[in-house]
Amino acid sequence: MTHNIKIAPSLLAADFGNLQRDVEMVNNSEADWHHIDIMDGVFVPNISYGMPVLKAIQKHATKPLDVHLMIVDPDRYIKTFADLGASVLTVHYEACNHLHRTIQAIKAEGMMAGVAINPHTNISLLEDTIKDIDLVCIMSVNPGFGGQSFIENTYEKTRTLKAMIHGKRAKTLIEIDGGVTSKNAKALINAGADVLVAGSFIFKSDNPTQTIHELKEILS
Ligand code: DX5
Ligand code: ZN
């Protein structure tokens, strides 16, 4: 029943001392995208990594780069991330004063435009932009850190968003980010998710390649 569900391992949970090895693990696995979390210490209470590290990742990555910006005023860097090879560029709803303009600017650089929403942000706020958005990233944890536990309200949000997408005849993909494991993956897909991001569950497992394979099996 499931259509082409994508898995996007989050490199935030990789071993940064062995970044090339971990990027290559994703290359050689059944995963679909590399999920890259950029945090500025202002929008979220943590700083991850920035452009030079993304450049190093890009050098080795063979799959599309799904870049998740947890930064204030992301418009400043849209061109920069396009030049760094991002295929999907996701900005936070809460960080944009002129979201419609930001979405158009991302598309004008040839990238898929993503909008992430925090756990407290209501889906209905996307009603007027949904047809323009290529991907909505529903945060299933408060952004800023890997390894947090999944917020159960995410299922309801996913169902509500899926209904809105259908109702508006939009083609938007739904991505779920935070606390994804083999325990909630199937239910998320049943609720309408298209892309699952997983960090700790993959990289902290004994055999990340096998864990990705198992996630794919659950979803097939
Ligand atoms: C959280 C990040 C996530 C994070 C997910 O702010 O956006 O992408 O890396 O990590 P896990 O899967 O460990 O919750
Ligand atoms: Zn993320």
Side-chain angles (χ1 to χ4, degrees), residues 155-172:
Y155 299 117
E156 196 180 319
K157 284 181 90 158
T158 306
R159 282 192 293 269
T160 306
L161 177 58
K162 196 70 174 183
M164 181 196 288
I165 290 168
H166 278 151
K168 297 268 186 186
R169 294 196 170 77
K171 296 198 172 66
T172 320

Side-chain angles (χ1 to χ4, degrees), residues 20-39:
Q20 180 177 349
R21 181 200 66 190
D22 285 358
V23 169
E24 285 172 353
M25 183 283 292
V26 176
N27 290 344
N28 298 322
S29 76
E30 290 167 58
D32 299 273
W33 291 349
H34 302 270
H35 186 81
I36 316 284
D37 291 303
I38 309 283
M39 305 177 184

